[in-house]
Amino acid sequence: MTLEEVQGQEITTEIIDRMQCAGISLEELLVSAQSQECLTVGVYESAKVMNVDPDCVAFCVLATDEEYECDIALQIHFTLIQAFCFDNGIDIVRVDDTQRLSEILGKTDESGEPKDVHCILVTNPSEDSWKDPALEKLSLFCEECRSFNEWVPAITLPEC
């Protein structure tokens, strides 16, 4: 094995570890924010909050899965939300498992199908900045990803 191969394996393992930690932190953040009533769930609901009070948004999660990857309207909304987040300094991540997000948030209809969890905003309940260790970890993760030109990092949520 060459030095480059060894370093490549170390980097890959490090990235996987960081992504797993980020997934755990995201789940913790969502559960905590939901208990504090600091979540806005849904594309249109999130757009309303961003329009009315953009300063209250602390973190954004965009979620999709194979069923919605080709949904052009949803992709346009994602592009607009991403631009808004970039312009306002809001950390943003992407998750490719709407079913797992729905399980974490308890957002399913009577048939067990997930409701609209394509965009989730973590908001501050007041002018006092809401501090959560998971939010701080995710902010550091996003900052680190941006240093590698990964502007909207993908996070894998842990299995239940």
Side-chain angles (χ1 to χ4, degrees):
M1 216 177 224
T2 66
L3 179 61
E4 289 83 16
E5 291 172 331
V6 170
Q7 288 175 336
Q9 285 180 341
E10 289 172 3
I11 291 171
T12 303
T13 305
E14 185 180 325
I15 290 170
I16 291 170
D17 288 344
R18 275 187 285 148
M19 285 183 64
Q20 288 174 340
C21 288
I24 292 167
S25 294
L26 180 58
E27 184 173 356
E28 290 171 0
L29 175 64
L30 293 175
V31 170
S32 175
Q34 188 173 34
S35 70
Q36 298 281 329
E37 297 182 1
C38 296
L39 277 186
T40 301
V41 181
V43 172
Y44 296 108
E45 293 80 2
S46 297
K48 288 180 207 171
V49 168
M50 289 178 171
N51 187 43
V52 172
D53 190 7
D55 294 332
C56 78
V57 180
F59 196 80
C60 179
V61 179
L62 296 179
T64 190
D65 52 27
E66 291 179 8
E67 180 181 347
Y68 292 98
E69 274 185 4
C70 296
D71 185 334
I72 294 172
L74 184 61
Q75 297 306 319
I76 291 170
H77 286 295
F78 280 3
T79 301
L80 294 171
I81 290 168
Q82 287 175 22
F84 181 88
C85 289
F86 294 151
D87 286 348
N88 289 281
I90 300 166
D91 290 321
I92 182 170
V93 296
R94 191 179 268 273
V95 174
D96 291 331
D97 192 350
T98 56
Q99 185 67 41
R100 180 69 181 115
L101 271 176
S102 294
E103 290 169 7
I104 292 169
L105 300 174
K107 298 283 185 185
T108 56
D109 61 18
E110 299 78 34
S111 66
E113 289 293 314
K115 292 187 177 178
D116 178 14
V117 293
H118 295 293
C119 183
I120 301 170
L121 298 180
V122 177
T123 57
N124 290 321
S126 66
E127 290 184 16
D128 296 333
S129 191
W130 180 57
K131 297 294 181 194
D132 185 277
L135 179 60
E136 291 177 23
K137 287 178 190 174
L138 286 167
S139 292
L140 288 173
F141 173 77
C142 289
E143 186 178 325
E144 188 174 288
C145 288
R146 284 192 299 270
S147 72
F148 294 111
N149 289 326
E150 186 178 359
W151 298 100
V152 183
I155 291 181
T156 302
L157 292 167
E159 295 297 317
C160 39

